[in-house]
Amino acid sequence: MSLDVASSLDKRMLIAGKWTDSENRTDVVHPYDGERIGSVPMATDVQVRDAVEAAEAAFDASTLSAYQRYELLEDTADRLEERAEEVAQVITGEQGKPIGEARTEVDRATQTLRLSAEQAKRMFGEYVPMDAQKGFAKDHCFTQREPLGVVAAITPFNFPLNLMVHKVGPALAAGNAVVGKPATNTPLSAILLFECLQDAVEDSPAPDGLVNVVTGSGSTVGDELLAHDAVEAISFTGSTGVGKYLAENSGMKELTLELGGNDPTIVWHDTDVEAAAEQVVGGACSNAGQVCNSVERVIVHESIEDELVDAMVDACRSLTIGDPFDEETDIAAMVDGDQFEDVVEIFEETIEQGATVECGGDYGGDLGDWVFEPTVLSGVTPEMPAAKEETFGPLVPVISVDSFDEAIEEANNTNYGLEAGLFTQDIDRAKRAADAINAGGVNINTVSGFRADHMPYGGFKDSGVGKEGIKYAVEHFSREKLVGFHQG
Ligand code: NAD
């Protein structure tokens, strides 16, 4: 099966309301067969500056009320919903995730837009009771939230649509103008989103330039965004290395960094092992393991290790590997050769260091160039690469422990701190883990990958700074101003 989209996927960038080309272009390929499906321009530094300046001018010119911003985002959501199947096909085409998962991503993105629309109506300040301090009884004071100006949104390859919406939706809800920069290898679905946004802008009182999207090299675009004074905020989702580079070079700009993870899920002996195994494998293998909060490490009480591993092996073997456009497929190719090679290297080194392959372990060849089988590894120790590093692939390392203290210690044995999961029926144990695990979210009786789009979401330590989730992102993309009235 293959991509079923009638229109051309040789796309342009959106700058100041105009669809704009560049001298150099880069191809987008379908990961499962390497076939070219489209192309996008490589933005020059001047074009990035143009986009920022168009956004700045639009921000200055915009008079949209909260209700009009609500309408703009609702209209965008309607347009995306109308194009849902086309956008899902494009996500699978460029990123390689199974078509069912791509449809879910479009559905979530539509909801993220609608939640953002609602949040536009909730930019509350607060009344400050001035008489709380001696001598101020006659004074009045309140705060109001105001937009920042130009917000830059930089996104990774793995959820090329919804992660862009997570930034652009709240940024527009708060009254900002945006410049989007999707991942170089998966830019097309984000451009379809900006087509919906621009159509909605044209049918509204909003000025052209309120939404812009540039494509191409991350470092070219990133450096221009960092250098430009008009960019008030950068919201970045991607690797920890690039996130740290942005943090070091962003000066006084607002920064949201949603970075890598090495998320643990603890399975304790008082839980339904089969049900936990099912969820753990789903959480480790969806999108071929290319999910920031996927199950990266399974930490299990030694008394149930064999039972859990057997159930995980059964769950893995029930997954269908193949063409992502095939409705039956659960696991397809990784996004590109680099991502695939990283997983192969981590796997081979972990085996060399003594881990046991319980199922899977095959990759490439007849399976497809960048396809890796869902693989359960047992006998994994904390120093092995599969336990130590973020593995963006369908590898599930199992680490056995003999006490809950050791489970917590192992869960925290990482530089990352994105999300964690725990399966237990014991409320005290659950609360202990919630308090002791050093991560942005601790999810009880589910896996680390648990996420609804309005939840506060964001990691600790090397997993980032700031929160996403509509309400929290709107707070990041706005500032609180105090207005005081002095009565003489
Ligand atoms: P990446 O860091 O390679 O790229 C992310 C984006 O940054 C791309 O758009 C890229 O073009 C751009 N970029 C590259 N160099 C840049 C620079 N110097 N300045 C500015 N932008 C630059 O990440 P990736 O491989 O696309 O995505 C995988 C990573 O993203 C994983 O580490 C994963 O854990 C992380 N991720 C985190 C979350 C989260 O919410 N915490 C969600 C999804 C993915």
PDB file of all heavy atoms in Angstrom, residues 19 49 59 85 98-99 130 149 153 192 209 218 249 265 318 321 328 359 381 391 397 401 412 423 468 475:
ATOM      1  N   TRP A  19       3.057  31.902   0.365  1.00  0.00           N
ATOM      2  CA  TRP A  19       3.729  30.600   0.280  1.00  0.00           C
ATOM      3  C   TRP A  19       5.018  30.808  -0.519  1.00  0.00           C
ATOM      4  O   TRP A  19       4.975  31.203  -1.686  1.00  0.00           O
ATOM      5  CB  TRP A  19       2.797  29.545  -0.323  1.00  0.00           C
ATOM      6  CG  TRP A  19       1.684  29.270   0.652  1.00  0.00           C
ATOM      7  CD1 TRP A  19       0.424  29.782   0.627  1.00  0.00           C
ATOM      8  CD2 TRP A  19       1.786  28.482   1.848  1.00  0.00           C
ATOM      9  NE1 TRP A  19      -0.286  29.357   1.741  1.00  0.00           N
ATOM     10  CE2 TRP A  19       0.527  28.553   2.504  1.00  0.00           C
ATOM     11  CE3 TRP A  19       2.792  27.718   2.442  1.00  0.00           C
ATOM     12  CZ2 TRP A  19       0.255  27.890   3.700  1.00  0.00           C
ATOM     13  CZ3 TRP A  19       2.536  27.063   3.646  1.00  0.00           C
ATOM     14  CH2 TRP A  19       1.277  27.152   4.261  1.00  0.00           C
ATOM     15  N   ARG A  49      14.664  35.478   9.155  1.00  0.00           N
ATOM     16  CA  ARG A  49      14.475  36.836   9.677  1.00  0.00           C
ATOM     17  C   ARG A  49      13.174  37.445   9.142  1.00  0.00           C
ATOM     18  O   ARG A  49      12.423  38.074   9.868  1.00  0.00           O
ATOM     19  CB  ARG A  49      15.662  37.716   9.283  1.00  0.00           C
ATOM     20  CG  ARG A  49      16.608  37.954  10.448  1.00  0.00           C
ATOM     21  CD  ARG A  49      17.850  38.664  10.003  1.00  0.00           C
ATOM     22  NE  ARG A  49      18.853  37.705   9.531  1.00  0.00           N
ATOM     23  CZ  ARG A  49      19.813  37.972   8.649  1.00  0.00           C
ATOM     24  NH1 ARG A  49      19.913  39.163   8.112  1.00  0.00           N
ATOM     25  NH2 ARG A  49      20.682  37.051   8.311  1.00  0.00           N
ATOM     26  N   PHE A  59       1.907  40.855  15.001  1.00  0.00           N
ATOM     27  CA  PHE A  59       1.596  40.970  16.432  1.00  0.00           C
ATOM     28  C   PHE A  59       1.220  42.420  16.771  1.00  0.00           C
ATOM     29  O   PHE A  59       0.233  42.675  17.454  1.00  0.00           O
ATOM     30  CB  PHE A  59       2.787  40.514  17.281  1.00  0.00           C
ATOM     31  CG  PHE A  59       2.574  40.704  18.751  1.00  0.00           C
ATOM     32  CD1 PHE A  59       1.715  39.872  19.462  1.00  0.00           C
ATOM     33  CD2 PHE A  59       3.199  41.743  19.441  1.00  0.00           C
ATOM     34  CE1 PHE A  59       1.489  40.056  20.813  1.00  0.00           C
ATOM     35  CE2 PHE A  59       2.975  41.940  20.794  1.00  0.00           C
ATOM     36  CZ  PHE A  59       2.123  41.097  21.484  1.00  0.00           C
ATOM     37  N   GLU A  85      -8.109  12.617   7.086  1.00  0.00           N
ATOM     38  CA  GLU A  85      -7.520  11.421   6.465  1.00  0.00           C
ATOM     39  C   GLU A  85      -6.285  11.786   5.633  1.00  0.00           C
ATOM     40  O   GLU A  85      -5.258  11.087   5.685  1.00  0.00           O
ATOM     41  CB  GLU A  85      -8.572  10.691   5.610  1.00  0.00           C
ATOM     42  CG  GLU A  85      -8.076   9.397   4.968  1.00  0.00           C
ATOM     43  CD  GLU A  85      -7.545   8.336   5.970  1.00  0.00           C
ATOM     44  OE1 GLU A  85      -7.918   8.359   7.162  1.00  0.00           O
ATOM     45  OE2 GLU A  85      -6.724   7.493   5.530  1.00  0.00           O
ATOM     46  N   PRO A  98       2.364   3.562  11.959  1.00  0.00           N
ATOM     47  CA  PRO A  98       1.198   2.888  11.385  1.00  0.00           C
ATOM     48  C   PRO A  98       0.021   3.864  11.219  1.00  0.00           C
ATOM     49  O   PRO A  98      -0.175   4.762  12.054  1.00  0.00           O
ATOM     50  CB  PRO A  98       0.879   1.804  12.406  1.00  0.00           C
ATOM     51  CG  PRO A  98       2.185   1.544  13.082  1.00  0.00           C
ATOM     52  CD  PRO A  98       2.890   2.866  13.134  1.00  0.00           C
ATOM     53  N   ILE A  99      -0.759   3.651  10.175  1.00  0.00           N
ATOM     54  CA  ILE A  99      -1.811   4.601   9.810  1.00  0.00           C
ATOM     55  C   ILE A  99      -2.822   4.814  10.951  1.00  0.00           C
ATOM     56  O   ILE A  99      -3.318   5.925  11.149  1.00  0.00           O
ATOM     57  CB  ILE A  99      -2.496   4.187   8.473  1.00  0.00           C
ATOM     58  CG1 ILE A  99      -3.484   5.236   8.007  1.00  0.00           C
ATOM     59  CG2 ILE A  99      -3.132   2.806   8.554  1.00  0.00           C
ATOM     60  CD1 ILE A  99      -2.888   6.538   7.557  1.00  0.00           C
ATOM     61  N   MET A 130      -5.153  44.526  48.716  1.00  0.00           N
ATOM     62  CA  MET A 130      -4.086  45.419  49.167  1.00  0.00           C
ATOM     63  C   MET A 130      -4.156  45.694  50.668  1.00  0.00           C
ATOM     64  O   MET A 130      -3.151  46.002  51.308  1.00  0.00           O
ATOM     65  CB  MET A 130      -4.149  46.740  48.389  1.00  0.00           C
ATOM     66  CG  MET A 130      -3.786  46.575  46.922  1.00  0.00           C
ATOM     67  SD  MET A 130      -2.137  45.892  46.698  1.00  0.00           S
ATOM     68  CE  MET A 130      -1.143  47.307  47.158  1.00  0.00           C
ATOM     69  N   GLY A 149       4.593  38.277  22.347  1.00  0.00           N
ATOM     70  CA  GLY A 149       4.985  38.839  21.046  1.00  0.00           C
ATOM     71  C   GLY A 149       5.191  37.713  20.038  1.00  0.00           C
ATOM     72  O   GLY A 149       4.244  37.010  19.695  1.00  0.00           O
ATOM     73  N   ALA A 153       8.328  28.028  17.540  1.00  0.00           N
ATOM     74  CA  ALA A 153       7.930  26.667  17.906  1.00  0.00           C
ATOM     75  C   ALA A 153       8.769  25.678  17.107  1.00  0.00           C
ATOM     76  O   ALA A 153       8.623  25.580  15.889  1.00  0.00           O
ATOM     77  CB  ALA A 153       6.447  26.471  17.604  1.00  0.00           C
ATOM     78  N   LEU A 192       0.739  21.209   6.387  1.00  0.00           N
ATOM     79  CA  LEU A 192      -0.725  21.093   6.204  1.00  0.00           C
ATOM     80  C   LEU A 192      -1.453  21.816   7.343  1.00  0.00           C
ATOM     81  O   LEU A 192      -2.482  22.469   7.130  1.00  0.00           O
ATOM     82  CB  LEU A 192      -1.157  19.631   6.143  1.00  0.00           C
ATOM     83  CG  LEU A 192      -0.591  18.772   4.997  1.00  0.00           C
ATOM     84  CD1 LEU A 192      -1.279  17.411   4.960  1.00  0.00           C
ATOM     85  CD2 LEU A 192      -0.725  19.444   3.640  1.00  0.00           C
ATOM     86  N   GLY A 209       0.776  37.042   8.453  1.00  0.00           N
ATOM     87  CA  GLY A 209       2.019  37.092   9.228  1.00  0.00           C
ATOM     88  C   GLY A 209       1.811  36.646  10.672  1.00  0.00           C
ATOM     89  O   GLY A 209       2.774  36.443  11.407  1.00  0.00           O
ATOM     90  N   GLY A 218      17.957  22.684  11.066  1.00  0.00           N
ATOM     91  CA  GLY A 218      17.670  23.103  12.439  1.00  0.00           C
ATOM     92  C   GLY A 218      18.632  24.157  12.923  1.00  0.00           C
ATOM     93  O   GLY A 218      18.232  25.125  13.566  1.00  0.00           O
ATOM     94  N   ASN A 249      22.258  29.634  24.825  1.00  0.00           N
ATOM     95  CA  ASN A 249      22.366  30.759  23.888  1.00  0.00           C
ATOM     96  C   ASN A 249      21.122  31.637  23.796  1.00  0.00           C
ATOM     97  O   ASN A 249      21.037  32.483  22.917  1.00  0.00           O
ATOM     98  CB  ASN A 249      22.707  30.222  22.494  1.00  0.00           C
ATOM     99  CG  ASN A 249      24.090  29.604  22.472  1.00  0.00           C
ATOM    100  OD1 ASN A 249      25.089  30.305  22.495  1.00  0.00           O
ATOM    101  ND2 ASN A 249      24.146  28.279  22.479  1.00  0.00           N
ATOM    102  N   THR A 265       9.232   2.088  34.143  1.00  0.00           N
ATOM    103  CA  THR A 265       7.922   1.626  34.614  1.00  0.00           C
ATOM    104  C   THR A 265       8.183   0.452  35.562  1.00  0.00           C
ATOM    105  O   THR A 265       8.838  -0.525  35.167  1.00  0.00           O
ATOM    106  CB  THR A 265       7.005   1.236  33.454  1.00  0.00           C
ATOM    107  OG1 THR A 265       6.630   2.431  32.745  1.00  0.00           O
ATOM    108  CG2 THR A 265       5.730   0.560  33.953  1.00  0.00           C
ATOM    109  N   SER A 318       2.439 -10.943  19.437  1.00  0.00           N
ATOM    110  CA  SER A 318       1.124 -10.690  18.820  1.00  0.00           C
ATOM    111  C   SER A 318       1.150  -9.429  17.948  1.00  0.00           C
ATOM    112  O   SER A 318       0.167  -9.116  17.278  1.00  0.00           O
ATOM    113  CB  SER A 318       0.052 -10.558  19.909  1.00  0.00           C
ATOM    114  OG  SER A 318       0.222  -9.317  20.552  1.00  0.00           O
ATOM    115  N   ILE A 321       4.340  -6.840  12.213  1.00  0.00           N
ATOM    116  CA  ILE A 321       5.363  -5.960  11.642  1.00  0.00           C
ATOM    117  C   ILE A 321       5.083  -5.817  10.149  1.00  0.00           C
ATOM    118  O   ILE A 321       4.785  -6.813   9.482  1.00  0.00           O
ATOM    119  CB  ILE A 321       6.764  -6.576  11.830  1.00  0.00           C
ATOM    120  CG1 ILE A 321       7.035  -6.821  13.311  1.00  0.00           C
ATOM    121  CG2 ILE A 321       7.845  -5.687  11.227  1.00  0.00           C
ATOM    122  CD1 ILE A 321       8.289  -7.612  13.587  1.00  0.00           C
ATOM    123  N   GLU A 328      -3.427  -3.495   9.418  1.00  0.00           N
ATOM    124  CA  GLU A 328      -3.096  -4.495  10.446  1.00  0.00           C
ATOM    125  C   GLU A 328      -1.762  -4.225  11.140  1.00  0.00           C
ATOM    126  O   GLU A 328      -1.449  -4.833  12.159  1.00  0.00           O
ATOM    127  CB  GLU A 328      -3.011  -5.906   9.823  1.00  0.00           C
ATOM    128  CG  GLU A 328      -4.244  -6.360   9.056  1.00  0.00           C
ATOM    129  CD  GLU A 328      -5.473  -6.321   9.958  1.00  0.00           C
ATOM    130  OE1 GLU A 328      -5.375  -6.792  11.096  1.00  0.00           O
ATOM    131  OE2 GLU A 328      -6.516  -5.781   9.524  1.00  0.00           O
ATOM    132  N   CYS A 359      12.817 -12.336  23.115  1.00  0.00           N
ATOM    133  CA  CYS A 359      12.115 -12.437  21.827  1.00  0.00           C
ATOM    134  C   CYS A 359      12.584 -11.289  20.957  1.00  0.00           C
ATOM    135  O   CYS A 359      13.138 -10.305  21.458  1.00  0.00           O
ATOM    136  CB  CYS A 359      10.599 -12.387  21.989  1.00  0.00           C
ATOM    137  SG  CYS A 359       9.993 -10.787  22.521  1.00  0.00           S
ATOM    138  N   THR A 381      21.402  -5.092  33.403  1.00  0.00           N
ATOM    139  CA  THR A 381      21.876  -4.395  34.602  1.00  0.00           C
ATOM    140  C   THR A 381      21.944  -2.896  34.306  1.00  0.00           C
ATOM    141  O   THR A 381      22.014  -2.497  33.136  1.00  0.00           O
ATOM    142  CB  THR A 381      23.275  -4.918  35.021  1.00  0.00           C
ATOM    143  OG1 THR A 381      24.165  -4.690  33.933  1.00  0.00           O
ATOM    144  CG2 THR A 381      23.237  -6.392  35.375  1.00  0.00           C
ATOM    145  N   THR A 391      16.648   4.924  24.422  1.00  0.00           N
ATOM    146  CA  THR A 391      16.643   4.095  23.207  1.00  0.00           C
ATOM    147  C   THR A 391      15.371   4.433  22.449  1.00  0.00           C
ATOM    148  O   THR A 391      14.281   4.075  22.884  1.00  0.00           O
ATOM    149  CB  THR A 391      16.628   2.591  23.559  1.00  0.00           C
ATOM    150  OG1 THR A 391      17.614   2.357  24.537  1.00  0.00           O
ATOM    151  CG2 THR A 391      16.890   1.740  22.337  1.00  0.00           C
ATOM    152  N   PRO A 397      14.083  -3.368  27.885  1.00  0.00           N
ATOM    153  CA  PRO A 397      14.982  -4.016  28.837  1.00  0.00           C
ATOM    154  C   PRO A 397      14.299  -4.235  30.189  1.00  0.00           C
ATOM    155  O   PRO A 397      13.601  -3.351  30.669  1.00  0.00           O
ATOM    156  CB  PRO A 397      16.134  -3.012  28.970  1.00  0.00           C
ATOM    157  CG  PRO A 397      15.588  -1.702  28.559  1.00  0.00           C
ATOM    158  CD  PRO A 397      14.366  -1.933  27.715  1.00  0.00           C
ATOM    159  N   VAL A 401      14.715  -6.431  40.553  1.00  0.00           N
ATOM    160  CA  VAL A 401      15.141  -5.904  41.855  1.00  0.00           C
ATOM    161  C   VAL A 401      14.457  -6.711  42.966  1.00  0.00           C
ATOM    162  O   VAL A 401      13.450  -7.377  42.720  1.00  0.00           O
ATOM    163  CB  VAL A 401      14.763  -4.405  42.013  1.00  0.00           C
ATOM    164  CG1 VAL A 401      15.540  -3.530  41.045  1.00  0.00           C
ATOM    165  CG2 VAL A 401      13.259  -4.187  41.837  1.00  0.00           C
ATOM    166  N   ASN A 412      15.278   6.208  39.624  1.00  0.00           N
ATOM    167  CA  ASN A 412      15.948   7.520  39.645  1.00  0.00           C
ATOM    168  C   ASN A 412      17.381   7.473  39.124  1.00  0.00           C
ATOM    169  O   ASN A 412      18.043   8.504  39.058  1.00  0.00           O
ATOM    170  CB  ASN A 412      15.963   8.078  41.076  1.00  0.00           C
ATOM    171  CG  ASN A 412      14.603   8.618  41.478  1.00  0.00           C
ATOM    172  OD1 ASN A 412      13.823   9.051  40.621  1.00  0.00           O
ATOM    173  ND2 ASN A 412      14.306   8.579  42.764  1.00  0.00           N
ATOM    174  N   PHE A 423       2.955  -0.144  38.475  1.00  0.00           N
ATOM    175  CA  PHE A 423       1.801  -1.031  38.626  1.00  0.00           C
ATOM    176  C   PHE A 423       1.834  -1.621  40.031  1.00  0.00           C
ATOM    177  O   PHE A 423       2.758  -2.360  40.378  1.00  0.00           O
ATOM    178  CB  PHE A 423       1.848  -2.153  37.581  1.00  0.00           C
ATOM    179  CG  PHE A 423       1.526  -1.669  36.197  1.00  0.00           C
ATOM    180  CD1 PHE A 423       2.532  -1.196  35.353  1.00  0.00           C
ATOM    181  CD2 PHE A 423       0.222  -1.673  35.732  1.00  0.00           C
ATOM    182  CE1 PHE A 423       2.242  -0.739  34.082  1.00  0.00           C
ATOM    183  CE2 PHE A 423      -0.089  -1.211  34.452  1.00  0.00           C
ATOM    184  CZ  PHE A 423       0.925  -0.746  33.628  1.00  0.00           C
ATOM    185  N   GLU A 468       4.210  21.816  29.232  1.00  0.00           N
ATOM    186  CA  GLU A 468       3.175  21.937  28.196  1.00  0.00           C
ATOM    187  C   GLU A 468       1.864  21.416  28.774  1.00  0.00           C
ATOM    188  O   GLU A 468       1.802  21.075  29.956  1.00  0.00           O
ATOM    189  CB  GLU A 468       3.600  21.173  26.935  1.00  0.00           C
ATOM    190  CG  GLU A 468       4.732  21.882  26.225  1.00  0.00           C
ATOM    191  CD  GLU A 468       4.880  21.519  24.760  1.00  0.00           C
ATOM    192  OE1 GLU A 468       4.515  20.402  24.363  1.00  0.00           O
ATOM    193  OE2 GLU A 468       5.394  22.366  24.013  1.00  0.00           O
ATOM    194  N   GLU A 475       0.262  29.911  30.054  1.00  0.00           N
ATOM    195  CA  GLU A 475       0.965  30.686  31.089  1.00  0.00           C
ATOM    196  C   GLU A 475       2.389  31.019  30.647  1.00  0.00           C
ATOM    197  O   GLU A 475       2.869  32.128  30.831  1.00  0.00           O
ATOM    198  CB  GLU A 475       0.975  29.920  32.413  1.00  0.00           C
ATOM    199  CG  GLU A 475      -0.340  30.093  33.142  1.00  0.00           C
ATOM    200  CD  GLU A 475      -0.526  29.156  34.310  1.00  0.00           C
ATOM    201  OE1 GLU A 475       0.460  28.539  34.769  1.00  0.00           O
ATOM    202  OE2 GLU A 475      -1.687  29.023  34.748  1.00  0.00           O
TER     203      GLU A 475
END
